[in-house]
Amino acid sequence: MAVIISDQVRQILDEINNKPVYTIHELLEGKIIQPKILYVVGRTRRRSAPWSLPKICDIPIRYPEHSEVANALGAALARTTAEMTILADTERRELIIGEEGLRESYSPQFFSGGRH
Amino acid sequence: MHSGPAAGIMGDPGDAGMKEDAIALDIGGTTTDISVFADGVPLLEPSGVDN
């Protein structure tokens, strides 16, 4: 599992570093991502992790305070980076985002599941 | 974007000034979500891996 995660991380970095990088705040064209820190959050507790993370990614690891509940903290503390109003007109089957001037149709399956 | 791990890290007082390139792993019971930060700012398309 550790090797799979490590390979995936390297693959993601290769993909990102081979194309322009977009962040929420600015366009970082030409930037190469060279991670300096690996943060680990989630249910895995560092003492019971069955595999050794430092040897995988060769960068220092940090377990943020309250890492076991990071997702809940994130939901509570997330800074607003953008706001928009999305109206789903179920009669016309249209999605409308007034701030963007967007109006488009959606399929009957839109609300039946999957990630958006 | 996986707001949970990204914001959980950005909300940690110890990392409030984090301005580095970084990786975040949210290791759950069945999947691991991978987030990437460029100069401390989360990128918009992280990926996940099945454990």
Side-chain angles (χ1 to χ4, degrees):
Chain A
M1 179 169 76
V3 172
I4 293 170
I5 292 175
S6 177
D7 286 348
Q8 271 289 311
V9 169
R10 285 195 203 104
Q11 190 179 324
I12 289 167
L13 287 173
D14 284 346
E15 284 175 15
I16 290 170
N17 286 329
N18 283 311
K19 66 179 185 185
V21 174
Y22 298 91
T23 70
I24 293 170
H25 298 294
E26 61 205 34
L27 173 67
L28 299 174
E29 195 146 7
K31 175 171 171 62
I32 301 292
I33 309 276
Q34 294 172 311
K36 306 278 188 310
I37 314 168
L38 176 67
Y39 292 97
V40 177
V41 297
R43 289 170 39 198
T44 300
R45 300 184 65 85
R46 70 191 89 171
R47 283 191 216 109
S48 64
W51 29 273
S52 177
L53 283 170
K55 298 186 180 97
I56 300 163
C57 297
D58 288 331
I59 51 179
I61 293 183
R62 178 160 164 73
Y63 296 86
E65 194 178 351
H66 307 303
S67 61
E68 305 85 7
V69 291
N71 280 296
L73 274 178
L77 296 174
R79 300 177 220 157
T80 301
T81 50
E83 275 188 29
M84 64 180 74
T85 308
I86 302 173
L87 173 68
D89 186 330
T90 52
E91 193 169 316
R92 291 183 174 166
R93 280 210 213 116
E94 276 185 342
L95 278 179
I96 300 158
I97 303 176
E99 294 91 338
E100 298 293 314
L102 181 86
R103 178 188 294 266
E104 61 182 44
S105 306
Y106 61 85
S107 76
Q109 282 77 40
F110 183 81
F111 289 113
S112 65
R115 269 192 181 176
H116 299 286
Chain B
M1 174 178 165
H2 295 286
S3 59
I9 285 156
M10 293 166 74
D12 176 2
D15 296 297
M18 197 270 280
K19 296 253 187 305
E20 305 278 356
D21 292 354
I23 303 281
L25 299 181
D26 177 10
I27 305 174
T30 54
T31 59
T32 294
D33 292 325
I34 303 170
S35 301
V36 181
F37 295 75
D39 296 333
V41 181
L43 301 188
L44 289 178
E45 289 186 57
S47 298
V49 181
D50 287 331
N51 285 351

